[in-house]
Amino acid sequence: MAAAIKLAIIDDHPLFREGVVRTLEQIGGFEIVAQGSNRDDALRISGDQQLDILLMDISVPGGGLSAIEPALERHPDLKIVMLTVSEENQHVMTALQSGARGYVLKGVGSRTLAAILRTVAMGERYVCPQLSARVLVDLSSQPTATAKPDVLAELTSREREILTLVAAGLSNKRIGLKLNLHEKTIKHHMTRILAKLNVSNRTEAAMTLRDATEHQHPPAPHPA
């Protein structure tokens, strides 16, 4: 028998939270190890518990979206799924760019939710179909702009620091030693960096950094 998926639920509505817990326990295959109602609870629980999945609402006090990156920096293997009423494209993109593995609307059926959580636990990503289509349309309607000076604006300060070291030729292991971080944490950051820059490998990411830096600091003209 497969091991139960260890899950924590963060939602500031106790009745909804308890309903999800009861439903998943009845379906089976899930172990609810903790519950919380705000951002601080999410960070505390993700630090204290051995979790497979953190199921979290966006609108909890303190902000669910702002809890994603710090939780993953401490535990890169944690899978975070947002369960929310928000259908805003920007919320979806922010969640995914921050490292969430799933984005689910609260109108979902209980057995569908259980199936989604199992899929995420196995390493897949999930965005509910109607939101996924809208986000793709939204992205495709935006003008493309390569090597813009603000191309790095989506990166956190830590991600910029890591990308600068990548551009200097350091491996993930050496970067981890230099920054006193686990190699897994560096790999997780690199995954987010590649996604945010829309590139497929470290070389392209380093070139993006170089191009953006050159646009911000153009070379001085040669004397006549």
Side-chain angles (χ1 to χ4, degrees), residues 16-154:
F16 177 82
R17 190 173 68 233
E18 291 164 10
V20 173
V21 170
R22 186 164 54 252
T23 297
L24 292 178
E25 288 178 340
Q26 289 172 351
I27 290 173
F30 298 92
E31 179 186 351
I32 313 302
V33 300
Q35 299 180 45
S37 62
N38 54 52
R39 179 183 186 274
D40 289 343
D41 287 342
L43 296 181
R44 174 180 53 79
I45 289 169
S46 62
D48 293 345
Q49 303 289 337
Q50 293 297 315
L51 298 176
D52 296 311
I53 295 177
L54 181 67
L55 184 63
M56 179 166 53
D57 190 3
I58 279 179
S59 61
V60 296
L65 291 174
S66 68
I68 298 173
E69 290 194 358
L72 291 175
E73 183 152 339
R74 300 174 192 177
H75 298 280
D77 293 333
L78 178 64
K79 297 174 177 66
I80 297 178
V81 176
M82 311 310 292
L83 180 60
T84 178
V85 298
S86 174
E87 299 186 27
E88 291 187 26
N89 290 4
Q90 189 56 53
H91 286 166
V92 182
M93 290 189 286
T94 298
L96 298 179
Q97 288 173 343
S98 297
R101 305 288 295 186
Y103 196 101
V104 187
L105 294 179
K106 282 189 173 180
V108 69
S110 57
R111 293 197 174 276
T112 300
L113 176 61
I116 291 167
L117 294 174
R118 292 191 192 101
T119 297
V120 171
M122 291 187 293
E124 300 295 324
R125 296 179 184 271
Y126 179 87
V127 177
C128 59
Q130 65 267 41
L131 294 185
S132 178
R134 280 170 40 191
V135 168
L136 287 174
V137 168
D138 187 55
L139 288 174
S140 64
S141 67
Q142 295 176 1
T144 57
T146 58
K148 285 173 55 180
D150 62 349
V151 71
L152 306 178
E154 290 293 323

Side-chain angles (χ1 to χ4, degrees), residues 201-218:
N201 56 55
R202 297 162 67 89
T203 301
E204 290 180 7
M207 290 174 64
T208 300
L209 173 65
R210 181 202 63 193
D211 291 344
T213 303
E214 286 179 355
H215 274 77
Q216 291 170 340
H217 304 286

Side-chain angles (χ1 to χ4, degrees), residues 151-173:
V151 71
L152 306 178
E154 290 293 323
L155 300 185
T156 65
S157 57
R158 175 66 85 184
E159 289 165 352
R160 286 189 182 225
E161 184 178 25
I162 289 171
L163 181 54
T164 299
L165 294 173
V166 167
L170 274 66
S171 66
N172 286 345
K173 184 174 183 179

